[in-house]
Amino acid sequence: MSARHGKPLRGLMSTKTSPLFQGRFGRMFRSLHAARYGKDEATSRANLMKLGDLMTSDFDGPKDAPDAEESGIPALYTYFGQFIDHDITFDPSSSLVKHTDPDALTDFRTPAFDLDNVYGRGPDDQPYMYDGPKFLLGDKIGGGVDPNAHDLPRNSRVPPEGFDRRALIGDPRNDENSIVSQLQGLFHRFHNRTVDDHPEIDPGADFDQLQKIVRFHYHYVILNDFLPRIIHSSVLAALKTGGHFDRHKLGLFHWQDEPFMPVEFSVAAYRLGHSMIRPGYRLNDAVLLPIFPVSKTIDPPDGIPEGLTGFRAMNPAWGIDWGRFVDVDIRSYGTDPGDGSADDPTKKRLQFAYRLDTSLVTPLSALPPSVASNPASLPQRNLIRSLELGLPSGQDVARAMHITPLKDDEIMIGKAVDSPGTGDVRGTIASIPELSAFKGNCPLWTYILAEAGRNQEPVKIPVQEDKTISTPRLGPVGGRIVAEVFLGMMFGDNDSLLNLDPAWQPPSGPDFRLKDLIKYALGG
């Protein structure tokens, strides 16, 4: 890194001592034994595959109308959560073939909310991402309501057969679907506008100051908007003193003392977002697509088209109308009169994430080969991964946290909807014969999702109508793990908002939320 930037970008800096420190994975509950689900490994795998099947919902095509699985969380938070994950964790050696020691895994993301998935190694080391102090933007795209919508910048070479132009960004995973891809593009535009709105900062000498402004807004949204959306209010309240997060109340995770990324977080608790994914999304008036292509093996109805899969140049008609994903404006929630008119694209309704529960939508059960294989089912992959990394059961983790574990008849497999219908609920671990191996021994990921279904809070949603939706949130086990890891990393990072200026607020005031970050990036 050249001297003109003053100091290395934080994407290369440590929260400890070495300027090249990355991180490592490890265990939060080291004294707990690995859960097993049969007499041998083959039986354990077979039982987990059955559970993964039962955690997959019946086929439900993409739709724009309200439905019982919607939560009170606008749909963009699903992909903001994915964006955050790509900022803090990356394990390229993930294996589903052999047992893996978490302590030997390297986290190739810096262990901080430093936006290294956006900034990469900075304009000196990766000049092809930048135009001076600003990010390069890609080709113009349309279809939405944003006249300045752009694709990500991409390589210009003619790709070999079977490949498309790849995005030139800090983390290639942020191009894996068209929603997170366009969210990445908005962070580029947020940075570019920050440059324009701060002419007093010399970007050649103080690029890190521009980064700090962007990061502080990002940290503020994580702490004051994202975590309260996904974690039960009682869990967050227990980590505060006088209304402010208190580092002394962290009992599970002390990042500065022992830096690592807990596999209980990365492989179980923070995989909550998989349950929030809708079967499909309406990007704009003309485009309603499944999140992934629907496999022919599922026998979908005729007319289900390609999915929103990424790693390719953006379809020029796929520009997102952001008001369909987050409340940048207030729209009608819409009702379903039963004649299909609720799917009318002119309604332009805000879509909401699906509820946190033990039910994942069908497209996630047959991922395209470019995303995953053997198994191609996301719920099965999550469960097998937890076996390979030796995660303890949810009940054992609860007891280690001095929490009374859920009973087997309280661990529901299916949708946490208010009025379950036929096919919504498979049953409980106590009632489903195929799940006898999981009695008192539920995989941590499944346990945390089932716990969320039992920790619902009423959420008044941002629509014209006066409407409240019962919304599952991470409970005392899952919520505490996620909150402590997030806060532990914040408190352990000397350059974070909580350490440098915990009283900081965005210029617009304390009510700044993800919608406001989006509006600023859009020029509003």
Side-chain angles (χ1 to χ4, degrees):
M1 190 68 64
S2 69
R4 73 182 180 89
H5 289 307
K7 67 178 184 179
L9 299 181
R10 283 195 52 236
L12 298 177
M13 295 188 70
S14 167
T15 55
K16 297 289 280 184
T17 56
S18 169
L20 294 178
F21 175 80
Q22 286 172 312
R24 62 182 178 87
F25 290 90
R27 301 185 189 279
M28 182 178 279
F29 299 95
R30 290 182 173 273
S31 63
L32 299 183
H33 64 82
R36 291 293 180 263
Y37 309 103
K39 61 182 180 180
D40 52 33
E41 179 156 338
T43 306
S44 289
R45 286 175 176 268
N47 286 330
L48 289 170
M49 294 291 278
K50 291 178 187 176
L51 177 57
D53 275 339
L54 289 169
M55 290 181 67
T56 302
S57 68
D58 295 336
F59 180 79
D60 192 8
K63 57 188 172 185
D64 190 28
D67 69 73
E69 257 279 70
E70 285 192 321
S71 69
I73 305 172
L76 187 58
Y77 287 90
T78 307
Y79 297 93
F80 184 59
Q82 181 183 22
F83 178 90
I84 293 171
D85 177 54
H86 293 174
D87 186 26
I88 59 177
T89 65
F90 180 42
D91 168 21
S93 64
S94 175
S95 169
L96 293 177
V97 179
K98 59 183 180 180
H99 284 294
T100 306
D101 176 9
D103 294 322
L105 295 178
T106 299
D107 182 3
F108 285 89
R109 274 281 161 259
T110 49
F113 300 99
D114 54 13
L115 291 175
D116 57 348
N117 58 337
V118 172
Y119 288 105
R121 297 191 303 275
D124 280 358
D125 274 5
Q126 294 178 300
Y128 50 84
M129 290 170 42
Y130 292 86
D131 179 12
K134 293 185 176 182
F135 284 104
L136 285 168
L137 304 179
D139 296 336
K140 279 249 186 182
I141 55 176
V145 296
D146 175 14
N148 298 312
H150 287 78
D151 188 10
L152 297 173
R154 298 181 182 274
N155 62 38
S156 58
R157 70 182 181 86
V158 176
E161 184 177 355
F163 292 87
D164 208 333
R165 295 170 57 204
R166 299 298 182 169
L168 305 175
I169 55 177
D171 188 329
R173 295 175 298 168
N174 279 358
D175 190 32
E176 70 181 32
N177 66 66
S178 64
I179 302 171
V180 74
S181 174
Q182 293 188 58
L183 178 59
Q184 170 93 11
L186 285 185
F187 269 85
H188 291 182
R189 290 168 63 184
F190 189 97
H191 169 89
N192 288 356
R193 188 172 176 194
T194 300
V195 175
D196 292 336
D197 288 353
H198 289 83
E200 76 281 4
I201 297 177
D202 178 357
D206 297 305
F207 189 82
D208 59 302
Q209 290 300 311
L210 295 168
Q211 282 188 297
K212 176 182 174 182
I213 294 169
V214 176
R215 288 197 311 272
F216 269 28
H217 283 84
Y218 171 57
H219 292 179
Y220 194 89
V221 168
I222 289 173
L223 294 169
N224 296 284
D225 188 20
F226 180 68
L227 291 183
R229 300 269 184 180
I230 63 170
I231 298 175
H232 197 278
S233 59
S234 63
V235 176
L236 294 178
L239 293 168
K240 293 181 178 180
T241 299
H244 301 284
F245 288 116
D246 184 348
R247 72 181 70 218
H248 301 294
K249 291 196 171 183
L250 303 186
L252 301 176
F253 185 72
H254 299 278
W255 175 261
Q256 223 164 17
D257 297 334
E258 189 179 0
F260 69 97
M261 179 60 62
V263 288
E264 296 91 343
F265 168 86
S266 64
V267 178
Y270 200 60
R271 300 203 176 192
L272 77 155
H274 296 163
S275 176
M276 298 169 69
I277 295 173
R278 297 172 62 91
Y281 298 86
R282 182 174 288 283
L283 302 185
N284 53 54
D285 287 358
V287 179
L288 172 63
L289 291 172
I291 185 61
F292 287 115
V294 179
S295 170
K296 297 299 182 184
T297 62
I298 297 173
D299 192 24
D302 292 339
I304 297 295
E306 65 174 321
L308 295 169
T309 312
F311 301 123
R312 54 182 172 172
M314 185 70 64
N315 186 313
W318 283 12
I320 287 177
D321 171 5
W322 290 101
R324 296 183 185 273
F325 284 80
V326 71
D327 51 320
V328 292
D329 50 24
I330 302 299
R331 304 182 178 189
S332 172
Y333 177 67
T335 56
D336 187 355
D339 60 5
S341 62
D343 287 304
D344 181 354
T346 62
K347 290 185 179 293
K348 301 181 185 294
R349 71 179 297 269
L350 171 62
Q351 300 160 102
F352 290 87
Y354 270 21
R355 299 181 179 211
L356 292 177
D357 55 29
T358 54
S359 176
L360 276 67
V361 297
T362 306
L364 301 183
S365 69
L367 300 173
S370 61
V371 176
S373 61
N374 298 321
S377 162
L378 185 57
Q380 290 175 342
R381 290 182 69 81
N382 286 348
L383 293 167
I384 297 296
R385 183 64 172 154
S386 71
L387 177 70
E388 297 299 341
L389 284 168
L391 263 62
S393 71
Q395 289 91 338
D396 281 350
V397 169
R399 283 187 284 266
M401 295 172 66
H402 306 290
I403 295 168
T404 301
L406 296 177
K407 299 176 182 177
D408 291 333
D409 61 5
E410 294 175 321
I411 301 176
M412 183 179 72
I413 305 301
K415 299 178 181 179
V417 295
D418 296 332
S419 301
T422 303
D424 287 340
V425 177
R426 313 293 191 189
T428 67
I429 284 181
S431 67
I432 302 174
E434 302 98 297
L435 300 185
S436 60
F438 303 108
K439 289 183 176 180
N441 187 40
C442 182
L444 182 59
W445 176 60
T446 305
Y447 182 97
I448 286 169
L449 291 177
E451 180 190 63
R454 302 184 63 84
N455 284 270
Q456 304 197 24
E457 292 188 289
V459 174
K460 192 174 187 309
I461 61 174
V463 294
Q464 292 172 3
E465 299 88 340
D466 183 12
K467 185 170 181 60
T468 298
I469 295 182
S470 182
T471 301
R473 287 177 168 154
L474 294 178
V477 173
R480 186 77 181 212
I481 291 172
V482 170
E484 288 222 16
V485 170
F486 269 64
L487 294 173
M489 286 193 293
M490 284 271 193
F491 282 124
D493 175 9
N494 293 329
D495 292 319
S496 77
L497 170 64
L498 287 182
N499 279 321
L500 287 179
D501 192 355
W504 182 90
Q505 294 178 353
S508 61
D511 294 330
F512 188 90
R513 299 293 183 262
L514 179 60
K515 64 178 182 178
D516 301 297
L517 188 152
I518 299 301
K519 286 194 286 188
Y520 183 83
L522 293 173

